[in-house]
Amino acid sequence: MHRILSKEILAPDVARLWLDAPVVARKRRPGQFVIIRLSEDGERIPLTIADADPARGAIALIVQGVGKSTFALNAMNPGDDLLDVAGPLGLPTKIEPNARVCCIGGGIGTAVVYPIACGVKALGGHVVAVVGARTRDLMILEKELRAVADETIVTTDDGTYGAHGLVTDALKKLLAEGHTFDEVVAVGPLPMMRAVCEVTRPLGLRTIVSLNPIMIDGTGMCGGCRVTVGGEQKFVCVDGPEFDGHQVDFAELSARLKAYREQEAIALARYRQMSAQGA
Ligand SMILES: Cc1cc2nc3c(=O)[nH]c(=O)nc-3n(C[C@H](O)[C@H](O)[C@H](O)COP(=O)(O)OP(=O)(O)OC[C@H]3O[C@@H](n4cnc5c(N)ncnc54)[C@H](O)[C@@H]3O)c2cc1C
Ligand code: FES
C-alpha cells in the first residue's frame, strides 16, 4: 500500500499527489515513470515521477483526469492508499554535462519536462524553458520552472497569459534571435511534439520526445506500447520513454492511442454514473 501524503489542485482536472514510496524516491532518475494500480481490479496507469523527496520517502505525480482511472485517482485524498506503485520504470534521460537545452512542455507534458530541466541544471547545463497551455487556467509548473531554468517563456494558444501563440512560435523566435542549443526536449500532446520536430528537423537540431502510448505490463512482454522509431520496433516501457523525435512514426502512435476509444468512453460513463450514485 502507498499512502497519499498530500494533494494540490494545479489546474482544472490536474492534481499533484505526493505519495509514500521510499524505494522509488531513492532510486528514480529524471525521465522515469511508475505504473500504479488503485485497487485489485484497477487498470495499470503509467505516470511520470514528477519529483521526489528521498529524505521523506515520497514521490510526486502530476495527474490529468482524462478517463476512468485518472479521474478516480484525482478523486482520492490524503490518507487514502494506492494498492501498488511499480518503478522506477523506463530509461532515465540521457543528460550530457554542461549542455544547452531548450525544454518545451505543453499541457500535462510540463510535468515530464520539469524533472528533466532539474537534471540538466544539476549537471551544470543551461536551460531555456518554454511552457505552453491552451489557456491561462491550464498552465502548470510555471513557478517551479522559473526557479530552475535560466530563462522561462510562457505561451497560451488564446493569448490569455504570456506570449500569444504556440510553443513552436516561441521556439522559432528563440532560434531566429540566435539562441543555440545542443538539443531540444519536447513533451506534450502528440501534435505538439510532432510540430516541434518539424521546426528542428531542417536545422539538424537533436530533438528528444517522451512518448505516452497505452501500456499494460511495463516490462517489454505484452507489446502494448510498441512504437516505430527509425523503422525499427521499440517498446516504450523498456526502450524509452524518450526517443529521437525525428525518427518517431507519430501517425502510427496516434492511431494506436485511439484503438480503445469506445471502451474508454464506456468505462468513463460507468464511472461517472457510479460516482453520481455515491457508489
Ligand atoms: C510513460 C508515460 C508517462 C505518463 N505520464 C503521465 C503523467 O505524468 N501525468 C498524466 O496525467 N498522464 C501521464 N501519462 C498518460 C496516462 O497514463 C493516461 O492518461 C492514463 O493511463 C489514462 O487512463 P484513464 O483510464 O484515465 O483514461 P482512458 O480511459 O485509458 O483514456 C481516456 C482518453 O485519454 C486519452 N489517453 C489515454 N491514454 C493516453 C496516453 N497514454 N496519453 C495521452 N492520452 C491518453 C485518450 O484520448 C483516451 O480516449 C503517461 C503515459 C505514459 C505511457
Ligand atoms: S507495456 Fe507491455 S511491452 Fe511495454
Side-chain angles (χ1 to χ4, degrees):
M1 289 289 190
H2 295 264
R3 182 141 296 182
I4 298 177
L5 304 172
S6 64
K7 172 179 172 180
E8 185 189 348
I9 304 300
L10 300 184
D13 292 331
V14 179
R16 172 162 43 203
L17 303 167
W18 279 93
L19 294 184
D20 183 45
V23 178
V24 181
R26 224 175 29 246
K27 297 197 166 215
R28 75 98 207 196
R29 286 164 59 202
Q32 291 187 296
F33 63 97
V34 289
I35 292 189
I36 66 158
R37 274 193 314 161
L38 306 188
S39 59
E40 204 58 64
D41 58 355
E43 69 175 339
R44 297 158 66 81
I45 321 171
L47 294 165
T48 301
I49 305 164
D51 209 344
D53 181 346
R56 198 160 57 117
I59 59 168
L61 305 177
I62 297 181
V63 186
Q64 180 171 39
V66 292
K68 178 190 169 218
S69 301
T70 45
F71 278 119
L73 176 57
N74 280 356
M76 294 174 82
N77 286 307
D80 292 342
D81 293 318
L82 308 190
L83 179 64
D84 46 52
V85 175
L89 299 171
L91 301 176
T93 308
K94 290 189 191 109
I95 301 173
E96 297 294 330
N98 308 315
R100 286 183 64 82
V101 183
C102 183
C103 291
I104 307 178
I108 193 71
T110 308
V112 182
V113 156
Y114 172 68
I116 298 173
C118 293
V120 173
K121 287 305 295 176
L123 286 187
H126 182 93
V127 171
V128 177
V130 179
V131 193
R134 282 204 315 275
T135 190
R136 179 182 192 132
D137 290 351
L138 299 178
M139 178 77 58
I140 60 166
L141 301 182
E142 180 198 349
K143 185 167 59 93
E144 288 85 344
L145 272 162
R146 283 197 189 281
V148 72
D150 296 276
E151 193 180 336
T152 302
I153 296 156
V154 297
T155 66
T156 48
D157 299 6
D158 63 2
T160 46
Y161 187 53
H164 188 175
L166 305 173
V167 290
T168 41
D169 298 326
L171 174 62
K172 284 180 198 161
K173 189 160 176 274
L174 284 167
L175 295 168
E177 285 168 357
H179 282 73
T180 55
F181 300 108
D182 297 311
E183 68 176 21
V184 171
V185 176
V187 190
L190 285 191
M192 178 220 118
M193 294 194 282
R194 195 178 197 168
V196 169
C197 290
E198 291 319 313
V199 173
T200 56
R201 192 192 302 275
L203 307 173
L205 175 53
R206 183 177 150 81
T207 301
I208 300 300
V209 294
S210 182
L211 301 182
N212 53 3
I214 291 170
M215 285 191 179
I216 302 138
D217 65 345
T219 65
M221 305 284 281
C222 73
C225 66
R226 177 173 61 75
V227 290
T228 304
V229 182
E232 286 179 27
Q233 291 203 348
K234 299 281 179 190
F235 296 125
V236 173
C237 62
V238 288
D239 300 320
E242 291 166 18
F243 294 96
D244 176 349
H246 296 156
Q247 304 290 324
V248 170
D249 184 339
F250 284 104
E252 180 194 56
L253 175 55
S254 174
R256 282 176 66 81
L257 271 170
K258 291 179 191 141
Y260 299 103
R261 278 273 158 89
E262 204 181 315
Q263 291 86 342
E264 288 161 355
I266 293 168
L268 180 58
R270 271 199 208 124
Y271 168 74
R272 288 206 158 122
Q273 196 181 9
M274 286 175 72
S275 304
Q277 289 166 352

